[in-house]
Amino acid sequence: AEAFAQPSFLFTQMPSDGGWSPEQFSSFYALGNGSYFSESAHDMEGFHERYWGENYPKLLEVKKRYDPDNFLWCRNCVGSDQ
């Protein structure tokens, strides 16, 4: 037996290659301003605001101070587009 029920809309919208189109993600992003790493697109636009909000400038300042060479990096993390 399944541990939890899967929402049927996930399976009706998912393309055969298993990826999500930008249009599909935009329908979820329209639900609110926040995002979680595990729920967002790899190439999400506006990740600064969606993940970090008004805290991004301060977080970027801290990142530059303690990791000036950008050694600690991940996709859509603070400073990843620098």
Side-chain angles (χ1 to χ4, degrees), residues 9-43:
F9 69 87
L10 290 178
F11 298 105
T12 59
Q13 292 186 4
M14 187 174 286
S16 60
D17 67 359
W20 286 76
S21 71
E23 293 79 23
Q24 289 166 318
F25 272 108
S26 67
S27 67
F28 287 103
Y29 294 156
L31 298 175
N33 292 331
S35 289
Y36 295 100
F37 281 114
S38 63
E39 298 176 345
S40 57
H42 181 72
D43 58 350

PDB file of all heavy atoms in Angstrom, residues 9-43:
ATOM      1  N   PHE A   9      -3.050  15.622 -10.185  1.00  0.00           N
ATOM      2  CA  PHE A   9      -2.628  16.627 -11.146  1.00  0.00           C
ATOM      3  C   PHE A   9      -1.132  16.540 -11.437  1.00  0.00           C
ATOM      4  O   PHE A   9      -0.685  16.939 -12.489  1.00  0.00           O
ATOM      5  CB  PHE A   9      -3.006  18.038 -10.694  1.00  0.00           C
ATOM      6  CG  PHE A   9      -2.244  18.547  -9.508  1.00  0.00           C
ATOM      7  CD1 PHE A   9      -1.025  19.182  -9.669  1.00  0.00           C
ATOM      8  CD2 PHE A   9      -2.752  18.404  -8.233  1.00  0.00           C
ATOM      9  CE1 PHE A   9      -0.315  19.666  -8.578  1.00  0.00           C
ATOM     10  CE2 PHE A   9      -2.062  18.881  -7.143  1.00  0.00           C
ATOM     11  CZ  PHE A   9      -0.832  19.504  -7.314  1.00  0.00           C
ATOM     12  N   LEU A  10      -0.340  16.010 -10.502  1.00  0.00           N
ATOM     13  CA  LEU A  10       1.089  15.883 -10.756  1.00  0.00           C
ATOM     14  C   LEU A  10       1.361  14.937 -11.924  1.00  0.00           C
ATOM     15  O   LEU A  10       2.256  15.154 -12.721  1.00  0.00           O
ATOM     16  CB  LEU A  10       1.816  15.367  -9.514  1.00  0.00           C
ATOM     17  CG  LEU A  10       1.901  16.329  -8.339  1.00  0.00           C
ATOM     18  CD1 LEU A  10       2.593  15.657  -7.167  1.00  0.00           C
ATOM     19  CD2 LEU A  10       2.639  17.589  -8.727  1.00  0.00           C
ATOM     20  N   PHE A  11       0.575  13.888 -12.008  1.00  0.00           N
ATOM     21  CA  PHE A  11       0.804  12.900 -13.049  1.00  0.00           C
ATOM     22  C   PHE A  11       0.186  13.302 -14.378  1.00  0.00           C
ATOM     23  O   PHE A  11       0.693  12.937 -15.422  1.00  0.00           O
ATOM     24  CB  PHE A  11       0.273  11.537 -12.602  1.00  0.00           C
ATOM     25  CG  PHE A  11       0.989  11.035 -11.385  1.00  0.00           C
ATOM     26  CD1 PHE A  11       0.384  11.059 -10.151  1.00  0.00           C
ATOM     27  CD2 PHE A  11       2.296  10.582 -11.474  1.00  0.00           C
ATOM     28  CE1 PHE A  11       1.051  10.614  -9.030  1.00  0.00           C
ATOM     29  CE2 PHE A  11       2.975  10.140 -10.352  1.00  0.00           C
ATOM     30  CZ  PHE A  11       2.351  10.158  -9.133  1.00  0.00           C
ATOM     31  N   THR A  12      -0.862  14.086 -14.343  1.00  0.00           N
ATOM     32  CA  THR A  12      -1.479  14.496 -15.603  1.00  0.00           C
ATOM     33  C   THR A  12      -0.693  15.609 -16.272  1.00  0.00           C
ATOM     34  O   THR A  12      -0.757  15.777 -17.475  1.00  0.00           O
ATOM     35  CB  THR A  12      -2.928  14.974 -15.383  1.00  0.00           C
ATOM     36  OG1 THR A  12      -2.921  16.070 -14.473  1.00  0.00           O
ATOM     37  CG2 THR A  12      -3.788  13.853 -14.845  1.00  0.00           C
ATOM     38  N   GLN A  13       0.104  16.382 -15.515  1.00  0.00           N
ATOM     39  CA  GLN A  13       0.857  17.485 -16.090  1.00  0.00           C
ATOM     40  C   GLN A  13       2.311  17.132 -16.382  1.00  0.00           C
ATOM     41  O   GLN A  13       2.981  17.843 -17.100  1.00  0.00           O
ATOM     42  CB  GLN A  13       0.835  18.689 -15.153  1.00  0.00           C
ATOM     43  CG  GLN A  13      -0.527  19.306 -15.023  1.00  0.00           C
ATOM     44  CD  GLN A  13      -0.482  20.582 -14.196  1.00  0.00           C
ATOM     45  OE1 GLN A  13       0.563  21.041 -13.789  1.00  0.00           O
ATOM     46  NE2 GLN A  13      -1.629  21.156 -13.947  1.00  0.00           N
ATOM     47  N   MET A  14       2.826  16.052 -15.825  1.00  0.00           N
ATOM     48  CA  MET A  14       4.234  15.741 -15.982  1.00  0.00           C
ATOM     49  C   MET A  14       4.518  15.198 -17.374  1.00  0.00           C
ATOM     50  O   MET A  14       3.882  14.250 -17.819  1.00  0.00           O
ATOM     51  CB  MET A  14       4.681  14.728 -14.933  1.00  0.00           C
ATOM     52  CG  MET A  14       6.186  14.498 -14.942  1.00  0.00           C
ATOM     53  SD  MET A  14       6.722  13.433 -13.598  1.00  0.00           S
ATOM     54  CE  MET A  14       6.570  14.542 -12.227  1.00  0.00           C
ATOM     55  N   PRO A  15       5.470  15.781 -18.099  1.00  0.00           N
ATOM     56  CA  PRO A  15       5.799  15.292 -19.428  1.00  0.00           C
ATOM     57  C   PRO A  15       6.481  13.937 -19.374  1.00  0.00           C
ATOM     58  O   PRO A  15       6.961  13.505 -18.322  1.00  0.00           O
ATOM     59  CB  PRO A  15       6.738  16.361 -19.977  1.00  0.00           C
ATOM     60  CG  PRO A  15       7.168  17.167 -18.827  1.00  0.00           C
ATOM     61  CD  PRO A  15       6.198  16.958 -17.714  1.00  0.00           C
ATOM     62  N   SER A  16       6.553  13.259 -20.500  1.00  0.00           N
ATOM     63  CA  SER A  16       7.084  11.902 -20.557  1.00  0.00           C
ATOM     64  C   SER A  16       8.549  11.816 -20.160  1.00  0.00           C
ATOM     65  O   SER A  16       9.006  10.776 -19.691  1.00  0.00           O
ATOM     66  CB  SER A  16       6.893  11.327 -21.958  1.00  0.00           C
ATOM     67  OG  SER A  16       7.587  12.133 -22.894  1.00  0.00           O
ATOM     68  N   ASP A  17       9.315  12.907 -20.321  1.00  0.00           N
ATOM     69  CA  ASP A  17      10.734  12.861 -19.946  1.00  0.00           C
ATOM     70  C   ASP A  17      10.947  13.092 -18.456  1.00  0.00           C
ATOM     71  O   ASP A  17      12.066  13.091 -17.971  1.00  0.00           O
ATOM     72  CB  ASP A  17      11.547  13.859 -20.764  1.00  0.00           C
ATOM     73  CG  ASP A  17      11.207  15.319 -20.444  1.00  0.00           C
ATOM     74  OD1 ASP A  17      10.324  15.574 -19.601  1.00  0.00           O
ATOM     75  OD2 ASP A  17      11.844  16.185 -21.050  1.00  0.00           O
ATOM     76  N   GLY A  18       9.888  13.299 -17.689  1.00  0.00           N
ATOM     77  CA  GLY A  18       9.977  13.475 -16.246  1.00  0.00           C
ATOM     78  C   GLY A  18      10.275  14.896 -15.807  1.00  0.00           C
ATOM     79  O   GLY A  18      10.279  15.186 -14.632  1.00  0.00           O
ATOM     80  N   GLY A  19      10.525  15.806 -16.739  1.00  0.00           N
ATOM     81  CA  GLY A  19      10.828  17.193 -16.394  1.00  0.00           C
ATOM     82  C   GLY A  19       9.580  18.055 -16.399  1.00  0.00           C
ATOM     83  O   GLY A  19       8.541  17.662 -16.912  1.00  0.00           O
ATOM     84  N   TRP A  20       9.709  19.199 -15.820  1.00  0.00           N
ATOM     85  CA  TRP A  20       8.591  20.151 -15.782  1.00  0.00           C
ATOM     86  C   TRP A  20       8.899  21.303 -16.715  1.00  0.00           C
ATOM     87  O   TRP A  20      10.028  21.785 -16.773  1.00  0.00           O
ATOM     88  CB  TRP A  20       8.412  20.692 -14.370  1.00  0.00           C
ATOM     89  CG  TRP A  20       7.815  19.698 -13.437  1.00  0.00           C
ATOM     90  CD1 TRP A  20       8.435  18.638 -12.868  1.00  0.00           C
ATOM     91  CD2 TRP A  20       6.473  19.653 -12.992  1.00  0.00           C
ATOM     92  NE1 TRP A  20       7.567  17.952 -12.083  1.00  0.00           N
ATOM     93  CE2 TRP A  20       6.358  18.559 -12.133  1.00  0.00           C
ATOM     94  CE3 TRP A  20       5.366  20.459 -13.231  1.00  0.00           C
ATOM     95  CZ2 TRP A  20       5.162  18.225 -11.509  1.00  0.00           C
ATOM     96  CZ3 TRP A  20       4.172  20.132 -12.594  1.00  0.00           C
ATOM     97  CH2 TRP A  20       4.077  19.026 -11.753  1.00  0.00           C
ATOM     98  N   SER A  21       7.895  21.779 -17.384  1.00  0.00           N
ATOM     99  CA  SER A  21       8.067  22.923 -18.270  1.00  0.00           C
ATOM    100  C   SER A  21       7.969  24.216 -17.448  1.00  0.00           C
ATOM    101  O   SER A  21       7.401  24.222 -16.353  1.00  0.00           O
ATOM    102  CB  SER A  21       6.972  22.928 -19.334  1.00  0.00           C
ATOM    103  OG  SER A  21       5.724  23.271 -18.749  1.00  0.00           O
ATOM    104  N   PRO A  22       8.515  25.326 -17.968  1.00  0.00           N
ATOM    105  CA  PRO A  22       8.378  26.606 -17.256  1.00  0.00           C
ATOM    106  C   PRO A  22       6.920  26.980 -17.013  1.00  0.00           C
ATOM    107  O   PRO A  22       6.589  27.564 -15.989  1.00  0.00           O
ATOM    108  CB  PRO A  22       9.046  27.608 -18.203  1.00  0.00           C
ATOM    109  CG  PRO A  22      10.017  26.794 -18.988  1.00  0.00           C
ATOM    110  CD  PRO A  22       9.359  25.433 -19.152  1.00  0.00           C
ATOM    111  N   GLU A  23       6.047  26.628 -17.930  1.00  0.00           N
ATOM    112  CA  GLU A  23       4.619  26.941 -17.756  1.00  0.00           C
ATOM    113  C   GLU A  23       4.038  26.180 -16.564  1.00  0.00           C
ATOM    114  O   GLU A  23       3.225  26.710 -15.812  1.00  0.00           O
ATOM    115  CB  GLU A  23       3.830  26.602 -19.017  1.00  0.00           C
ATOM    116  CG  GLU A  23       4.175  27.461 -20.212  1.00  0.00           C
ATOM    117  CD  GLU A  23       5.473  27.036 -20.907  1.00  0.00           C
ATOM    118  OE1 GLU A  23       5.895  25.866 -20.778  1.00  0.00           O
ATOM    119  OE2 GLU A  23       6.080  27.902 -21.560  1.00  0.00           O
ATOM    120  N   GLN A  24       4.451  24.928 -16.387  1.00  0.00           N
ATOM    121  CA  GLN A  24       3.944  24.149 -15.261  1.00  0.00           C
ATOM    122  C   GLN A  24       4.440  24.720 -13.940  1.00  0.00           C
ATOM    123  O   GLN A  24       3.690  24.800 -12.971  1.00  0.00           O
ATOM    124  CB  GLN A  24       4.346  22.686 -15.408  1.00  0.00           C
ATOM    125  CG  GLN A  24       3.576  22.012 -16.535  1.00  0.00           C
ATOM    126  CD  GLN A  24       4.180  20.693 -16.926  1.00  0.00           C
ATOM    127  OE1 GLN A  24       5.389  20.577 -17.011  1.00  0.00           O
ATOM    128  NE2 GLN A  24       3.338  19.716 -17.157  1.00  0.00           N
ATOM    129  N   PHE A  25       5.710  25.103 -13.889  1.00  0.00           N
ATOM    130  CA  PHE A  25       6.218  25.704 -12.665  1.00  0.00           C
ATOM    131  C   PHE A  25       5.543  27.032 -12.382  1.00  0.00           C
ATOM    132  O   PHE A  25       5.249  27.357 -11.243  1.00  0.00           O
ATOM    133  CB  PHE A  25       7.740  25.897 -12.736  1.00  0.00           C
ATOM    134  CG  PHE A  25       8.493  24.693 -12.279  1.00  0.00           C
ATOM    135  CD1 PHE A  25       9.165  23.904 -13.191  1.00  0.00           C
ATOM    136  CD2 PHE A  25       8.532  24.338 -10.949  1.00  0.00           C
ATOM    137  CE1 PHE A  25       9.862  22.787 -12.781  1.00  0.00           C
ATOM    138  CE2 PHE A  25       9.218  23.227 -10.512  1.00  0.00           C
ATOM    139  CZ  PHE A  25       9.889  22.446 -11.439  1.00  0.00           C
ATOM    140  N   SER A  26       5.279  27.820 -13.400  1.00  0.00           N
ATOM    141  CA  SER A  26       4.672  29.132 -13.168  1.00  0.00           C
ATOM    142  C   SER A  26       3.298  29.001 -12.530  1.00  0.00           C
ATOM    143  O   SER A  26       2.890  29.853 -11.751  1.00  0.00           O
ATOM    144  CB  SER A  26       4.605  29.940 -14.465  1.00  0.00           C
ATOM    145  OG  SER A  26       3.711  29.351 -15.375  1.00  0.00           O
ATOM    146  N   SER A  27       2.579  27.917 -12.825  1.00  0.00           N
ATOM    147  CA  SER A  27       1.268  27.732 -12.196  1.00  0.00           C
ATOM    148  C   SER A  27       1.407  27.511 -10.692  1.00  0.00           C
ATOM    149  O   SER A  27       0.564  27.936  -9.915  1.00  0.00           O
ATOM    150  CB  SER A  27       0.502  26.584 -12.854  1.00  0.00           C
ATOM    151  OG  SER A  27       1.136  25.352 -12.601  1.00  0.00           O
ATOM    152  N   PHE A  28       2.482  26.863 -10.263  1.00  0.00           N
ATOM    153  CA  PHE A  28       2.727  26.674  -8.835  1.00  0.00           C
ATOM    154  C   PHE A  28       3.266  27.946  -8.197  1.00  0.00           C
ATOM    155  O   PHE A  28       2.921  28.286  -7.087  1.00  0.00           O
ATOM    156  CB  PHE A  28       3.701  25.524  -8.592  1.00  0.00           C
ATOM    157  CG  PHE A  28       3.083  24.183  -8.834  1.00  0.00           C
ATOM    158  CD1 PHE A  28       3.363  23.490  -9.988  1.00  0.00           C
ATOM    159  CD2 PHE A  28       2.206  23.628  -7.923  1.00  0.00           C
ATOM    160  CE1 PHE A  28       2.792  22.264 -10.225  1.00  0.00           C
ATOM    161  CE2 PHE A  28       1.618  22.409  -8.142  1.00  0.00           C
ATOM    162  CZ  PHE A  28       1.917  21.717  -9.308  1.00  0.00           C
ATOM    163  N   TYR A  29       4.157  28.668  -8.897  1.00  0.00           N
ATOM    164  CA  TYR A  29       4.721  29.894  -8.355  1.00  0.00           C
ATOM    165  C   TYR A  29       3.643  30.953  -8.159  1.00  0.00           C
ATOM    166  O   TYR A  29       3.782  31.825  -7.303  1.00  0.00           O
ATOM    167  CB  TYR A  29       5.813  30.444  -9.265  1.00  0.00           C
ATOM    168  CG  TYR A  29       7.031  29.558  -9.361  1.00  0.00           C
ATOM    169  CD1 TYR A  29       7.863  29.619 -10.456  1.00  0.00           C
ATOM    170  CD2 TYR A  29       7.354  28.658  -8.352  1.00  0.00           C
ATOM    171  CE1 TYR A  29       8.986  28.816 -10.549  1.00  0.00           C
ATOM    172  CE2 TYR A  29       8.461  27.855  -8.444  1.00  0.00           C
ATOM    173  CZ  TYR A  29       9.278  27.938  -9.535  1.00  0.00           C
ATOM    174  OH  TYR A  29      10.380  27.149  -9.627  1.00  0.00           O
ATOM    175  N   ALA A  30       2.582  30.876  -8.924  1.00  0.00           N
ATOM    176  CA  ALA A  30       1.492  31.841  -8.781  1.00  0.00           C
ATOM    177  C   ALA A  30       0.776  31.690  -7.443  1.00  0.00           C
ATOM    178  O   ALA A  30       0.057  32.594  -7.020  1.00  0.00           O
ATOM    179  CB  ALA A  30       0.503  31.682  -9.928  1.00  0.00           C
ATOM    180  N   LEU A  31       0.996  30.571  -6.754  1.00  0.00           N
ATOM    181  CA  LEU A  31       0.320  30.322  -5.482  1.00  0.00           C
ATOM    182  C   LEU A  31       0.904  31.147  -4.335  1.00  0.00           C
ATOM    183  O   LEU A  31       0.280  31.292  -3.299  1.00  0.00           O
ATOM    184  CB  LEU A  31       0.385  28.835  -5.132  1.00  0.00           C
ATOM    185  CG  LEU A  31      -0.303  27.902  -6.121  1.00  0.00           C
ATOM    186  CD1 LEU A  31      -0.058  26.456  -5.727  1.00  0.00           C
ATOM    187  CD2 LEU A  31      -1.788  28.195  -6.201  1.00  0.00           C
ATOM    188  N   GLY A  32       2.117  31.668  -4.502  1.00  0.00           N
ATOM    189  CA  GLY A  32       2.722  32.453  -3.433  1.00  0.00           C
ATOM    190  C   GLY A  32       4.118  32.894  -3.789  1.00  0.00           C
ATOM    191  O   GLY A  32       4.664  32.500  -4.814  1.00  0.00           O
ATOM    192  N   ASN A  33       4.704  33.700  -2.915  1.00  0.00           N
ATOM    193  CA  ASN A  33       6.017  34.275  -3.195  1.00  0.00           C
ATOM    194  C   ASN A  33       7.184  33.418  -2.757  1.00  0.00           C
ATOM    195  O   ASN A  33       8.312  33.680  -3.132  1.00  0.00           O
ATOM    196  CB  ASN A  33       6.129  35.643  -2.515  1.00  0.00           C
ATOM    197  CG  ASN A  33       5.211  36.654  -3.131  1.00  0.00           C
ATOM    198  OD1 ASN A  33       4.896  36.563  -4.305  1.00  0.00           O
ATOM    199  ND2 ASN A  33       4.754  37.600  -2.341  1.00  0.00           N
ATOM    200  N   GLY A  34       6.992  32.423  -1.930  1.00  0.00           N
ATOM    201  CA  GLY A  34       8.090  31.616  -1.424  1.00  0.00           C
ATOM    202  C   GLY A  34       8.301  30.341  -2.206  1.00  0.00           C
ATOM    203  O   GLY A  34       7.437  29.891  -2.944  1.00  0.00           O
ATOM    204  N   SER A  35       9.481  29.755  -2.045  1.00  0.00           N
ATOM    205  CA  SER A  35       9.816  28.476  -2.672  1.00  0.00           C
ATOM    206  C   SER A  35      10.761  27.713  -1.767  1.00  0.00           C
ATOM    207  O   SER A  35      11.488  28.298  -0.972  1.00  0.00           O
ATOM    208  CB  SER A  35      10.497  28.681  -4.025  1.00  0.00           C
ATOM    209  OG  SER A  35       9.608  29.138  -4.984  1.00  0.00           O
ATOM    210  N   TYR A  36      10.759  26.404  -1.921  1.00  0.00           N
ATOM    211  CA  TYR A  36      11.715  25.530  -1.259  1.00  0.00           C
ATOM    212  C   TYR A  36      12.618  24.938  -2.326  1.00  0.00           C
ATOM    213  O   TYR A  36      12.184  24.702  -3.447  1.00  0.00           O
ATOM    214  CB  TYR A  36      11.004  24.401  -0.511  1.00  0.00           C
ATOM    215  CG  TYR A  36      10.166  24.876   0.632  1.00  0.00           C
ATOM    216  CD1 TYR A  36       8.793  25.006   0.493  1.00  0.00           C
ATOM    217  CD2 TYR A  36      10.746  25.177   1.853  1.00  0.00           C
ATOM    218  CE1 TYR A  36       8.009  25.446   1.554  1.00  0.00           C
ATOM    219  CE2 TYR A  36       9.968  25.620   2.917  1.00  0.00           C
ATOM    220  CZ  TYR A  36       8.602  25.741   2.759  1.00  0.00           C
ATOM    221  OH  TYR A  36       7.838  26.170   3.792  1.00  0.00           O
ATOM    222  N   PHE A  37      13.881  24.648  -1.992  1.00  0.00           N
ATOM    223  CA  PHE A  37      14.795  24.074  -2.969  1.00  0.00           C
ATOM    224  C   PHE A  37      14.219  22.821  -3.602  1.00  0.00           C
ATOM    225  O   PHE A  37      14.331  22.611  -4.801  1.00  0.00           O
ATOM    226  CB  PHE A  37      16.143  23.730  -2.326  1.00  0.00           C
ATOM    227  CG  PHE A  37      17.032  24.913  -2.139  1.00  0.00           C
ATOM    228  CD1 PHE A  37      17.369  25.344  -0.878  1.00  0.00           C
ATOM    229  CD2 PHE A  37      17.544  25.590  -3.230  1.00  0.00           C
ATOM    230  CE1 PHE A  37      18.204  26.428  -0.700  1.00  0.00           C
ATOM    231  CE2 PHE A  37      18.371  26.684  -3.064  1.00  0.00           C
ATOM    232  CZ  PHE A  37      18.702  27.106  -1.794  1.00  0.00           C
ATOM    233  N   SER A  38      13.632  21.966  -2.814  1.00  0.00           N
ATOM    234  CA  SER A  38      13.147  20.686  -3.329  1.00  0.00           C
ATOM    235  C   SER A  38      11.881  20.817  -4.178  1.00  0.00           C
ATOM    236  O   SER A  38      11.463  19.847  -4.800  1.00  0.00           O
ATOM    237  CB  SER A  38      12.875  19.726  -2.174  1.00  0.00           C
ATOM    238  OG  SER A  38      11.852  20.244  -1.342  1.00  0.00           O
ATOM    239  N   GLU A  39      11.298  21.987  -4.225  1.00  0.00           N
ATOM    240  CA  GLU A  39      10.048  22.172  -4.956  1.00  0.00           C
ATOM    241  C   GLU A  39      10.166  23.143  -6.120  1.00  0.00           C
ATOM    242  O   GLU A  39       9.172  23.509  -6.715  1.00  0.00           O
ATOM    243  CB  GLU A  39       8.962  22.692  -4.010  1.00  0.00           C
ATOM    244  CG  GLU A  39       8.627  21.751  -2.897  1.00  0.00           C
ATOM    245  CD  GLU A  39       7.622  22.346  -1.940  1.00  0.00           C
ATOM    246  OE1 GLU A  39       7.403  23.571  -1.969  1.00  0.00           O
ATOM    247  OE2 GLU A  39       7.071  21.581  -1.149  1.00  0.00           O
ATOM    248  N   SER A  40      11.359  23.569  -6.451  1.00  0.00           N
ATOM    249  CA  SER A  40      11.485  24.609  -7.464  1.00  0.00           C
ATOM    250  C   SER A  40      12.288  24.133  -8.669  1.00  0.00           C
ATOM    251  O   SER A  40      12.996  23.135  -8.614  1.00  0.00           O
ATOM    252  CB  SER A  40      12.135  25.849  -6.857  1.00  0.00           C
ATOM    253  OG  SER A  40      13.378  25.518  -6.303  1.00  0.00           O
ATOM    254  N   ALA A  41      12.169  24.882  -9.735  1.00  0.00           N
ATOM    255  CA  ALA A  41      12.850  24.543 -10.981  1.00  0.00           C
ATOM    256  C   ALA A  41      14.344  24.815 -10.858  1.00  0.00           C
ATOM    257  O   ALA A  41      14.769  25.743 -10.184  1.00  0.00           O
ATOM    258  CB  ALA A  41      12.280  25.379 -12.126  1.00  0.00           C
ATOM    259  N   HIS A  42      15.122  24.001 -11.549  1.00  0.00           N
ATOM    260  CA  HIS A  42      16.576  24.154 -11.553  1.00  0.00           C
ATOM    261  C   HIS A  42      16.985  25.529 -12.084  1.00  0.00           C
ATOM    262  O   HIS A  42      17.933  26.127 -11.608  1.00  0.00           O
ATOM    263  CB  HIS A  42      17.191  23.042 -12.415  1.00  0.00           C
ATOM    264  CG  HIS A  42      18.671  23.073 -12.475  1.00  0.00           C
ATOM    265  ND1 HIS A  42      19.461  22.713 -11.403  1.00  0.00           N
ATOM    266  CD2 HIS A  42      19.517  23.424 -13.465  1.00  0.00           C
ATOM    267  CE1 HIS A  42      20.725  22.838 -11.737  1.00  0.00           C
ATOM    268  NE2 HIS A  42      20.789  23.262 -12.982  1.00  0.00           N
ATOM    269  N   ASP A  43      16.250  26.026 -13.048  1.00  0.00           N
ATOM    270  CA  ASP A  43      16.578  27.308 -13.662  1.00  0.00           C
ATOM    271  C   ASP A  43      15.536  28.380 -13.342  1.00  0.00           C
ATOM    272  O   ASP A  43      15.196  29.202 -14.162  1.00  0.00           O
ATOM    273  CB  ASP A  43      16.734  27.155 -15.172  1.00  0.00           C
ATOM    274  CG  ASP A  43      15.491  26.595 -15.832  1.00  0.00           C
ATOM    275  OD1 ASP A  43      14.564  26.143 -15.118  1.00  0.00           O
ATOM    276  OD2 ASP A  43      15.437  26.603 -17.072  1.00  0.00           O
TER     277      ASP A  43
END
